[in-house]
Amino acid sequence: QVQLVESGGGLVQPGGSLRLSCTASGSIVSVYAMGWYRQAPGKERELVAAFTGPSSTNYAASVKDRFTISKGNAKNTVYLQMNSLKPEDTAVYYCNCKLMGANYWGQGTQVTVSS
C-alpha cells in the first residue's frame, strides 16, 4: 500500500505561481514512478507532468515551459512548480504513484486561478 499526501494548493491570481508537494509513504516507491494529474469540473482527469525515468519527464502540452516536476531532497517527495498560471489551470491536482501495476492517488489539492 502507498499513501500520498499533497499540499500547496490555493487561490492565486493569473500570472502567479504555486508549488505543490507530494510525499509518499508505506511501500517503497521510486519518485520516478510519480507524477501529477488534474481534474477540472466537468472534465476528465488528465496528466499534467510525470517522471518517466531518472532523466526524463513528460508534460501536457498546455503546461510545458510553465510547470516543472522535480524530486525533493527528502525521500519519496515530488514537487510541481507552477508558473505563469492561467484561469484554465484551475482544477483539483492529484499526486499519482504507480507500483506493481497499480495506481495510487492522493486526496487532491485545489488550485484556483482567478482575479
Side-chain angles (χ1 to χ4, degrees), residues 25-40:
S25 61
S27 298
I28 296 173
V29 302
S30 167
V31 292
Y32 301 118
M34 295 174 70
W36 291 93
Y37 288 70
R38 68 185 180 187
Q39 188 166 18

Side-chain angles (χ1 to χ4, degrees), residues 25-102:
S25 61
S27 298
I28 296 173
V29 302
S30 167
V31 292
Y32 301 118
M34 295 174 70
W36 291 93
Y37 288 70
R38 68 185 180 187
Q39 188 166 18
K43 295 189 176 181
E44 293 188 355
R45 193 171 296 188
E46 62 175 1
L47 171 72
V48 177
F51 285 105
T52 55
S55 302
S56 60
T57 53
N58 185 29
Y59 291 92
S62 59
V63 307
K64 208 167 186 180
D65 298 327
R66 298 189 297 122
F67 291 11
T68 303
I69 188 171
S70 63
K71 64 181 184 73
N73 291 328
K75 191 178 179 182
N76 296 349
T77 299
V78 294
Y79 300 106
L80 183 68
Q81 178 66 43
M82 304 185 293
N83 298 327
S84 302
L85 282 159
K86 304 175 181 180
E88 51 263 43
D89 294 318
T90 295
V92 177
Y93 284 70
Y94 295 92
C95 183
N96 169 266
C97 175
K98 303 182 192 305
L99 180 65
M100 303 288 286

